[in-house]
Amino acid sequence: MNDPIKTLEFDSILSATAVYASSEKGKNNVLALRPSGDYDEVLSRLEYAGQAEKLLSHYRYGGIESFADPDGITEKARTGATLSMRELLDIAGVLRSARLAKDTLDKYPDDVDGIKDIALRIFADKALENDISRDIISDTEMSDTASDTLRDIRVRLRTMKNRLTEKLSSYMRGNEYSEYLRDNFYTVRGGRYVLPVKSEYRRSVPGLLHDQSATGSTLYIEPFEIVSMNNDIVKLEGDEQREIERILGAFSERVLAQADNITDAAERLALLDMYFAIGGMASATNSIVPKVNRVGRVKLTGARHPLIDPARVVPIDIEVGGKCNILLISGPNTGGKTASLKTVGLLSCMLCAGMPVPCKEGSEMSVFDRIFCDIGDDQNISRNLSTFSSHIANLREITSSFTNESLILLDEIGSCTSPDEGSALAIGVIEYIAATKAKAVITTHYPKLKEYAMTSDRVMNAGMQFDPHTLQPTYKLLMGYPGSSNALETARALGLAPAITEAAKRALDRKVDYEALLTEAFAVKAQAEAELAKAENAEREAAERLAKAVENERKTSEALARINANAQAETKRLVGKTVEKADELLEEIKRELKDADERALLQAKRDLKRLEALAYAGEETAESVLNEPIAESAIIPGAEVVVRSLGTKGYVAKVRPGKKEAVINCEGKSITAAFSDLAKPIGMTASPKKAPQRKTSPSAATTLSPAEKEINVIGETVSDAIDKIEPWLENAAKCGPTELRIIHGKGTGALGRGIQAYLRSHPAVRSFRYGRYGEGDMGATIVEIK
C-alpha cells in the first residue's frame, strides 16, 4: 500500500513549511507533523494555525526569535558538568526568546487567545538571561565585570605584561643584545615570552632555550632577567582561568536549578514556532481554514495544488461525500485526473495535520480517520511483484483496513490487465467500498466504469475537460459528466505520426461509439457554456448599469435632502436672528416711548408679530438660504456671494486675506464678513461682476439736506464706520458750520467709543457728545463742525 505521506507529496509540503520556522526545534516539529483522525485535535490545531496566520498577516507580528535547542545543554548540566561559554549563551538565547514571546504576544487582542495562552505559560528568567549576557561576551571571552576577583586578576595581569613587554622592547633599542637578535620583535613559546636569537650567538644571550626554527638558524631564548616576570604572568593566567571556571560553574548550577523549566520553555517556543511556520505557509499560498465536518463531506471550490506553480495551476471545484460517496474521474491522458486526485488527498492530509488549505471561502472538508491511496506504478522486482500484482496487493491492504470514516484514492483502478476483466474488477471494488459508506475518489479510462457510474446512485461521474478545437486539455474538472479519453487526439498532439493515429482510428470497433458520443457531448456543452458566459456577462453589465443608476438616484436624493435641510436650518436661524433684533428694537422703543402714548407701543408690538409671521411663512427670498460653500480663492473683488449670517446676496468690494475677511456691498451698504460666513449662491458661479459704485459725496457748492446731516453706521466695525464717516465730515466742513448726528447704536458701546476717539483728533470737529433724550441717547453722537 502506498504511503500517503510520500505518494501525495505531503512530506514536500512539510519541507516547504519548515522554511518559515525560525528555530531548528520548530522546523523539526513541522517535519514531524502527521495527519490526525481526531476531530477535536484537528480543530484545535487549525484554530492555533489560524490565529498564528492572523498575527503574522493582520497584526504584523514578527514571529518567534531564533533560539538553539537546549536539550543537550540541560542534560549535560544534570550530570554536574560545567557548561561552556557557548552553551551558556545558547541558554540565554532561549530565555530571551521566551521573554520576548511572552511579553509581546500578551499585548495582542483576545481573538488570538489560543496562541497567547501558550505564550503565557512559557518560563522566563530575566535575571539569569541578563547575567549571562552581561558576563559572557563571546564563545571564548568573559567580561572583566563577571566578578571582582576576575577584574583584579586581569588588572594585575595587564600591568605585569606591560612591564614584561617594555623590558623585552629594551633588548631591541640599542641594548647590548640587540645585535644578536634575528628580528626586531619578541614572541611567545610555550606560554612564555622569548627573544629570537641568531644561533651563532647562543652563548652571548644568557637565558633558557625554549625552541628553535625549522632551519635551526633561530633560537627562542627566555633571558634570565625576565624569568621571574614570566613566572608571575603564568601564575596570574592560571588564577584567571580558575576564576573563569568558578564563574562558569556558578552559572551551570543556576541552569541546573531551572533545567526542567528551560526545557519546557523551549518546547513551548518550538510549538509556537511550528504554528507560525504553518501560518507563514498559509499566507504564502493564500490558504484558508475551510468549514470542517466529521461526516466525510468534501466540497472544494477553487482548490489549488500547493506544489504547482501558482502561475500555471488551474483551480478545480470538486465534491465527494455529499450526494454520492464515490467520485469517478475520467478524461484524457495528461488532462489532470491524477493531479485532481492528488489535490483532494494532499489537501485532506494538510487539513488533518492542522494546516490551512489553498482553496476559496465556502469550501468544506472532513476529518478522515485514515487516508489510503494506490497511485502510480509500484512494481517491485526484488519482491517479484509485477505492476498488476502490486496494485492487487495495495487493494488487498486497503480493503482490509479502511472504515466508513476513511478516504480512499485509487488511480487507474483495474488497469494493467484486459479492459473487460479490469473493468469488472474495478466495479467489484467500487461496490465493496460503497457498501461500507467510505469516501473514495477514483480515476479511470474504462467506458464500462463511466456507464456504471451513470446508472448508479452511489457513484458520481466527473470529467476532465478537453478542448476539441485545440486538441488540448483545459485541466478543468466538470462534475456530473464523464470525460472522454481522446487518446488518439492526444497522441497526435504529442507528435505521434499521423499515419499511426489514422490506422488506429480505422482499427477501432465501430460498435463502440461511446467515446465519440462523449466527445460530441463535450463540444455541445462547451458551446452552451460559451453562450451562457455571454448571457451572464450581458446580465452582469446590465446589473452594473442598474446599480449605477440607483446609486446616482440615491446621491441626487441625498443632495436634495441636504439642500432642503440647509434651507430649513438657515431659515430658522435667520428667523431667530431677525426676531432677536426685533426684540432689541422693541425694548429700545419701550425706553424711548416711556412718556408716549400707549397706541405707539401697541403698534410696535403688532409690527413685531407681523415680522415673525412673515419669516415663519417662508416669505424670505431663496437666495437667503440656497447656497453652497465657496473656496477662499474665489472670494475676489466683484464676486457675487451670500452673507449667510444675514441671508442676503452682495458683491465683494474689498478682500483682507490677513484677517480672513472681506467687505461686501449689499444693496449699497458695506458689510464686513469673515470668509467662513460667505457662500456661493446655488446655481450660480462666483464670477466677478462689477460692484455697484458708492455714491459720491455731495458737492461743496450745495447745502446739506436734513438727511445728509445724519449718518447711520449701526452694525459696522469701527474701521469701516470711520471709512464712511470721514468723507461725510469733510463734505460737511466745506458746506459751513453745522451740527451733525452719527447713529451708531448702543450695543456694547465699543463702536461709539471708537468713533468718538476718532472725532477727538479730527481737525474739522469743534466738539462732540452723546445724544440727549430724543436725540438717540447713548446710541448716537452729536458732532459740531467748525
Side-chain angles (χ1 to χ4, degrees):
M1 181 174 60
N2 293 161
D3 177 8
I5 303 301
K6 292 185 178 296
T7 303
L8 298 175
E9 299 178 279
F10 182 62
D11 53 345
S12 298
I13 290 293
L14 296 180
S15 297
T17 303
V19 172
Y20 294 93
S22 62
S23 67
E24 283 301 317
K25 203 169 181 66
K27 294 180 190 294
N28 292 335
N29 278 4
V30 172
L31 296 174
L33 273 174
R34 290 296 180 268
S36 170
D38 188 315
Y39 178 79
D40 293 330
E41 182 183 357
V42 171
L43 288 186
S44 177
R45 289 183 183 180
L46 289 171
E47 178 69 17
Y48 286 128
Q51 291 183 17
E53 194 276 334
K54 187 171 188 178
L55 279 162
L56 293 172
S57 61
H58 182 69
Y59 293 123
R60 303 299 180 189
Y61 176 64
I64 299 300
E65 184 173 293
S66 179
F67 63 94
D69 186 350
D71 290 352
I73 302 173
T74 53
E75 191 60 35
K76 180 179 176 180
R78 289 187 180 96
T79 65
T82 299
L83 302 179
S84 67
M85 294 185 194
R86 176 69 267 165
E87 289 168 335
L88 288 171
L89 287 175
D90 286 344
I91 292 295
V94 173
L95 294 174
R96 171 182 167 79
S97 182
R99 175 176 56 81
L100 290 176
K102 189 183 185 79
D103 294 345
T104 305
L105 289 170
D106 184 53
K107 299 175 183 178
Y108 288 102
D110 290 341
D111 56 355
V112 290
D113 56 353
I115 295 292
K116 288 174 62 177
D117 185 62
I118 296 175
L120 182 65
R121 300 172 187 274
I122 296 177
F123 168 79
D125 189 337
K126 190 173 183 180
L128 180 56
E129 172 201 342
N130 289 344
D131 290 347
I132 294 175
S133 301
R134 181 194 64 231
D135 294 344
I136 300 178
I137 298 173
S138 68
D139 294 5
T140 58
E141 185 179 3
M142 183 172 288
S143 171
D144 292 353
T145 61
S147 74
D148 293 341
T149 301
L150 182 62
R151 183 178 61 252
D152 292 343
I153 291 172
R154 285 182 172 174
V155 168
R156 286 186 288 152
L157 186 58
R158 281 192 290 269
T159 302
M160 184 60 68
K161 285 183 177 180
N162 288 338
R163 288 174 54 196
L164 178 58
T165 55
E166 180 63 28
K167 181 65 176 176
L168 289 171
S169 298
S170 69
Y171 283 92
M172 301 172 224
R173 294 196 300 268
N175 188 284
E176 59 180 305
Y177 300 115
S178 59
E179 61 181 298
Y180 307 136
L181 302 181
R182 173 69 63 183
D183 294 303
N184 193 29
F185 67 89
Y186 55 85
T187 185
V188 177
R189 285 292 185 275
R192 301 180 75 88
Y193 288 82
V194 296
L195 294 172
V197 179
K198 298 174 183 176
S199 59
E200 60 266 29
Y201 298 115
R202 165 68 184 86
R203 297 186 182 279
S204 300
V205 181
L208 302 176
L209 177 63
H210 285 276
D211 199 0
Q212 66 180 8
S213 65
T215 61
S217 61
T218 303
L219 304 177
Y220 296 98
I221 296 175
E222 177 186 7
F224 289 128
E225 294 179 349
I226 66 170
V227 170
S228 62
M229 298 174 69
N230 259 328
N231 289 340
D232 291 341
I233 289 175
V234 170
K235 179 180 182 304
L236 286 172
E237 287 177 341
D239 293 343
E240 177 190 31
Q241 190 58 40
R242 281 188 291 275
E243 180 60 14
I244 290 174
E245 289 296 326
R246 185 194 67 77
I247 294 170
L248 293 177
F251 274 130
S252 299
E253 290 178 1
R254 292 176 66 180
V255 171
L256 174 60
Q258 301 292 352
D260 291 342
N261 289 330
I262 293 172
T263 300
D264 182 71
E267 291 296 331
R268 293 180 186 276
L269 284 172
L271 182 63
L272 288 176
D273 196 20
M274 178 190 74
Y275 284 125
F276 283 120
I278 294 173
M281 180 67 171
S283 294
T285 56
N286 293 319
S287 296
I288 65 165
V289 176
K291 181 180 178 181
V292 183
N293 65 71
R294 62 201 318 172
V295 296
R297 176 179 170 81
V298 175
K299 184 180 181 182
L300 290 170
T301 303
R304 308 178 307 279
H305 196 294
L307 295 178
I308 299 178
D309 184 355
R312 296 191 305 107
V313 67
V314 177
I316 62 170
D317 299 339
I318 191 167
E319 181 177 357
V320 64
K323 297 178 181 178
C324 298
N325 289 338
I326 299 175
L327 181 67
L328 186 70
I329 302 177
S330 52
N333 288 306
T334 71
K337 297 190 303 299
T338 303
S340 298
L341 183 79
K342 285 188 172 182
T343 298
V344 175
L346 178 57
L347 268 56
S348 295
C349 283
M350 292 174 64
L351 181 92
C352 292
M355 303 175 70
V357 296
C359 61
K360 292 183 178 180
E361 294 289 346
S363 296
E364 184 175 359
M365 297 190 72
S366 178
V367 176
F368 296 103
D369 61 355
R370 288 186 67 183
I371 299 173
F372 299 91
C373 59
D374 178 35
I375 301 173
D377 184 359
D378 221 15
Q379 187 182 59
N380 191 320
I381 297 175
S382 63
R383 292 173 54 199
N384 198 27
L385 289 177
S386 66
T387 300
F388 179 75
S389 299
S390 67
H391 282 305
I392 295 301
N394 286 341
L395 286 174
R396 182 182 67 246
E397 291 188 48
I398 291 171
T399 53
S400 63
S401 305
F402 76 86
T403 70
N404 61 346
E405 295 181 356
S406 300
L407 174 65
I408 304 169
L409 308 170
L410 304 176
D411 189 29
E412 299 295 350
I413 186 173
S415 60
C416 304
T417 187
S418 70
D420 290 339
E421 290 185 318
S423 298
L425 178 62
I427 290 173
V429 172
I430 290 173
E431 290 188 345
Y432 184 79
I433 294 173
T436 62
K437 298 184 179 180
K439 311 304 178 287
V441 180
I442 301 170
T443 65
T444 188
H445 279 291
Y446 290 153
K448 286 187 177 180
L449 286 184
K450 303 175 194 177
E451 295 173 6
Y452 170 76
M454 294 180 71
T455 60
S456 173
D457 58 357
R458 297 185 293 183
V459 183
M460 176 180 286
N461 265 314
M464 303 306 300
Q465 193 179 52
F466 186 84
D467 190 330
H469 303 292
T470 64
L471 301 180
Q472 294 292 326
T474 64
Y475 305 106
K476 293 181 180 179
L477 183 65
L478 303 177
M479 297 295 295
Y481 301 90
S484 176
S485 294
N486 297 103
L488 299 183
E489 288 81 357
T490 302
R492 185 172 61 182
L494 291 175
L496 194 64
I500 297 175
T501 57
E502 290 300 323
K505 284 184 179 180
R506 291 193 297 272
L508 282 175
D509 187 350
R510 291 187 176 275
K511 293 185 292 183
V512 183
D513 287 336
Y514 185 72
E515 293 293 321
L517 290 173
L518 281 179
T519 301
E520 184 179 348
F522 268 117
V524 173
K525 184 176 186 297
Q527 183 178 356
E529 286 179 341
E531 295 296 330
L532 177 61
K534 289 182 181 179
E536 288 177 345
N537 286 335
E539 183 181 2
R540 184 167 54 254
E541 290 175 0
E544 290 175 356
R545 288 196 295 270
L546 177 60
K548 287 181 181 178
V550 172
E551 179 66 13
N552 290 336
E553 182 180 1
R554 182 187 65 79
K555 290 181 178 178
T556 302
S557 299
E558 289 179 354
L560 182 60
R562 283 196 300 271
I563 291 174
N564 289 336
N566 180 37
Q568 293 173 8
E570 191 71 8
T571 299
K572 289 182 179 180
R573 186 184 64 77
L574 290 172
V575 168
K577 187 167 184 177
T578 304
V579 172
E580 182 181 345
K581 288 184 176 180
D583 285 337
E584 292 177 359
L585 192 57
L586 182 59
E587 289 299 321
E588 187 174 343
I589 293 172
K590 285 181 181 179
R591 290 192 300 272
E592 294 179 355
L593 299 181
K594 285 182 179 178
D595 299 326
D597 59 5
E598 198 65 31
R599 186 169 58 82
L601 183 59
L602 291 174
Q603 182 61 41
K605 287 183 176 181
R606 282 196 294 270
D607 290 342
L608 174 62
K609 293 298 183 182
R610 286 177 55 206
L611 178 61
E612 292 177 351
L614 286 173
Y616 282 105
E619 293 181 3
E620 293 187 283
T621 59
E623 287 101 352
S624 68
V625 293
L626 297 180
N627 57 75
E628 59 187 7
I630 186 171
E632 290 188 8
S633 59
I635 303 175
I636 58 177
E640 187 175 18
V641 295
V642 174
V643 182
R644 291 189 291 187
S645 59
L646 300 179
T648 185
K649 289 193 297 185
Y651 296 91
V652 178
K654 187 187 299 183
V655 180
R656 296 170 179 157
K659 295 183 177 181
K660 297 281 186 180
E661 62 183 23
V663 178
I664 312 300
N665 192 315
C666 298
E667 299 178 356
K669 295 183 180 180
S670 294
I671 299 171
T672 299
F675 286 173
S676 59
D677 193 29
L678 299 180
K680 182 170 66 176
I682 292 280
M684 304 178 69
T685 60
S687 59
K689 293 185 179 180
K690 188 175 181 181
Q693 299 294 319
R694 179 181 293 177
K695 293 181 180 179
T696 58
S697 301
S699 170
T702 61
T703 303
L704 291 176
S705 67
E708 293 169 336
K709 293 181 180 180
E710 179 178 287
I711 188 169
N712 190 332
V713 293
I714 293 176
E716 302 283 357
T717 62
V718 173
S719 60
D720 289 341
I722 291 173
D723 287 345
K724 295 178 67 175
I725 292 170
E726 186 170 10
W728 177 71
L729 285 175
E730 291 174 357
N731 187 59
K734 292 177 183 178
C735 294
T738 184
E739 187 176 78
L740 307 176
R741 184 166 74 145
I742 302 173
I743 302 173
H744 47 65
K746 297 178 181 178
T748 62
L751 180 58
R753 289 193 298 274
I755 292 172
Q756 291 186 3
Y758 163 72
L759 295 175
R760 188 172 291 111
S761 60
H762 199 286
V765 175
R766 183 186 302 278
S767 63
F768 59 85
R769 59 178 173 79
Y770 281 116
R772 299 188 183 92
Y773 179 76
E775 293 179 326
D777 292 334
M778 299 293 288
T781 294
I782 308 301
V783 183
E784 184 181 355
I785 301 298
K786 293 180 180 179

